[in-house]
């Protein structure tokens, strides 16, 4: 088995998986068939090795994962459409991605920061202010996830998220990738992007406290400016605990993230497991054909 740590994400009626060379996507069509598509991964880390340096690689992985994730979500939406339905244009995909990013900044950066800024006279000390800001940010995130989980389409995405985790866990355990074998594994995984987001929110409490006080404009833009630092620290934490997650101390550290995944994953049906297995097998077949045995292990967010 390769040392490469596979990862992926749930998409519309399907699953995306990332290997060392290719990214594959498998989508269940309206007629019941599974459609596969693949694309080559970015070669930037090979051209610019500093992107693999500790603390820098976390920022690159976050940006790359967001770009690939948005593109794959839009691609899966088009792949899952019926013959009589109109596909999304590239312009519509770009606009939807920009709107999603703007809403995330508003909800998880601007609003928590503004609330604490306008109530700071009632809260003593910059550290306590940032603790409260962090709590508000996490509360907004939990409420957001809970609210969207009630949407039928999102609930199905969360089921595919569980299928993705199960298939990767089965592969990492050395199991043959069949529905029967994959079914018995849990829907949570220590390298999940949901856990990464929680880690980033917790680390931001300490990092933002170092920025000091200032105007609302300063608070907002200073937080946006240091997000790459926070992402880098969060990535290294997730990479380290993911490597040692079988140890008790690591399990204690990742327990909150695993608990949070109970909101973003659901038990999938057999058809969803088939889709996840198809996506994973597609990148595994690529590995057998071209992967160098001494490939450096990487951490792919799921």
């Amino acid at each position: 088995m390769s040392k490469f740590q596979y990862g992926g994400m749930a998409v519309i009626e399907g699953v995306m998986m990332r290997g060392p060379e290719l990214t594959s996507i498998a989508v269940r069509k309206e007629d019941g068939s599974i459609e596969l598509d693949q694309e080559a991964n970015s070669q930037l880390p090979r051209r610019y090795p500093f992107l693999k340096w500790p603390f820098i690689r976390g920022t690159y992985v976050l940006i790359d994962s967001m770009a690939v994730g948005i593109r794959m979500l839009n691609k899966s939406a088009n792949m899952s459409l019926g013959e009589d339905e109109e596909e999304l244009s590239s312009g519509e995909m770009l606009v939807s991605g920009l709107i999603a990013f703007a809403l995330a900044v508003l909800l998880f950066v601007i609003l928590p920061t503004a609330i604490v800024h306008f109530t700071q006279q009632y809260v003593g000390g910059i550290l306590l202010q940032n603790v409260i800001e962090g709590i508000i940010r996490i509360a907004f995130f939990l409420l957001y996830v809970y609210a969207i989980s009630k949407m039928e389409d999102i609930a199905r995405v969360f089921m595919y998220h569980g299928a993705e985790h199960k298939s990767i866990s089965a592969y990492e355990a050395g199991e043959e990738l069949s529905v029967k074998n994959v079914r018995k594994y849990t829907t949570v995984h220590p390298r999940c992007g949901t856990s990464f987001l929680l880690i980033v929110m917790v680390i931001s409490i300490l990092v933002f406290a170092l920025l000091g006080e200032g105007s609302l404009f300063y608070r907002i833009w200073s937080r946006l400016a240091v997000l790459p630092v926070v992402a880098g620290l969060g990535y290294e934490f997730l990479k380290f605990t993911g490597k040692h997650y079988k140890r008790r101390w690591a399990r204690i550290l990742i327990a909150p993230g695993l608990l949070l995944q109970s909101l973003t994953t659901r038990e999938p049906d057999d058809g969803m497991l088939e889709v996840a297995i198809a996506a994973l097998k597609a990148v595994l077949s690529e590995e057998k054909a071209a992967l160098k045995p001494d490939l450096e292990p990487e951490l792919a967010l799921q």
Side-chain angles (χ1 to χ4, degrees):
M1 184 183 298
S2 168
K3 296 184 295 181
F4 187 88
Q5 293 178 316
Y6 290 85
M9 64 175 286
V11 293
I12 306 300
E13 290 301 323
V15 171
M16 178 269 282
M17 291 288 186
R18 301 197 74 179
E21 303 291 343
L22 295 176
T23 293
S24 72
I25 182 173
V27 172
R28 180 74 71 179
K29 303 282 288 183
E30 281 193 345
D31 61 7
S33 64
I34 298 176
E35 181 177 352
L36 280 167
D37 193 17
Q38 293 180 329
E39 66 176 43
N41 293 339
S42 171
Q43 297 300 306
L44 284 178
R46 291 184 179 178
R47 296 175 186 171
Y48 306 101
F50 72 89
L51 292 176
K52 295 183 179 181
W53 292 357
F55 303 105
I56 293 178
R57 57 190 174 186
T59 302
Y60 171 75
V61 167
L62 178 61
I63 295 173
D64 183 59
S65 296
M66 288 177 58
V68 173
I70 292 173
R71 188 166 66 253
M72 289 298 169
L73 279 169
N74 288 319
K75 179 179 286 190
S76 67
N78 286 334
M79 290 170 65
S80 64
L81 293 174
E83 294 183 359
D84 298 329
E85 297 177 285
E86 184 178 352
E87 292 188 355
L88 294 172
S89 67
S90 58
E92 290 172 326
M93 293 180 184
L94 177 61
V95 170
S96 64
L98 291 175
I99 291 175
F101 178 76
L103 288 175
V105 171
L106 174 64
L107 187 59
F108 303 123
V109 178
I110 296 178
L111 282 181
T113 303
I115 291 172
V116 171
H117 176 76
F118 289 117
T119 59
Q120 61 182 311
Q121 64 268 30
Y122 305 109
V123 182
I126 189 66
L127 180 58
L128 182 57
Q129 290 175 25
N130 277 279
V131 169
I132 294 175
E133 181 182 330
I135 292 173
I136 294 173
R137 185 172 291 112
I138 293 173
F140 280 1
F141 177 67
L142 294 177
L143 289 172
Y144 169 78
V145 172
Y146 177 78
I148 65 173
S149 69
K150 298 302 180 182
M151 301 168 60
E152 183 178 351
D153 290 342
I154 299 300
R156 288 188 61 80
V157 171
F158 286 175
M159 292 172 74
Y160 277 108
H161 191 191
E164 175 229 331
H165 284 181
K166 282 175 173 283
S167 59
I168 290 178
S169 293
Y171 168 74
E172 292 176 339
E175 294 267 17
E176 179 185 353
L177 292 176
S178 67
V179 171
K180 180 180 178 181
N181 289 340
V182 171
R183 165 64 63 192
K184 62 188 178 185
Y185 287 89
T186 177
T187 60
V188 302
H189 196 284
R191 295 198 309 273
C192 180
T194 304
S195 296
F196 176 72
L197 290 176
L198 180 61
I199 292 167
V200 165
M201 291 181 187
V202 173
I203 292 177
S204 70
I205 294 174
L206 299 177
V207 175
F208 291 170
L210 301 176
L211 300 176
E213 299 180 358
S215 65
L216 178 59
F217 179 83
Y218 167 77
R219 283 176 177 256
I220 291 174
W221 284 106
S222 63
R223 281 151 175 72
L224 292 174
V226 300
L227 274 180
V229 176
V230 176
L233 292 171
Y235 180 88
E236 297 305 321
F237 179 90
L238 193 67
K239 185 176 179 69
F240 181 73
T241 54
K243 182 179 180 180
H244 300 283
Y245 76 95
K246 292 185 178 180
R247 302 193 179 193
R248 184 177 180 183
W249 59 265
R251 288 185 175 274
I252 293 174
L253 289 176
I254 66 176
L258 297 180
L259 181 62
L260 182 59
Q261 289 178 49
S262 64
L263 291 177
T264 62
T265 62
R266 299 285 188 276
E267 278 292 335
D269 60 34
D270 287 353
M272 293 173 175
L273 291 177
E274 290 175 353
V275 171
I277 291 170
L280 182 53
K281 282 184 174 180
V283 292
L284 291 177
S285 62
E286 158 246 327
E287 175 188 81
K288 292 178 181 178
L291 185 61
K292 296 179 180 180
D294 59 346
L295 182 75
E296 289 294 322
E298 292 290 343
L299 181 77
L301 295 181
Q302 296 180 26

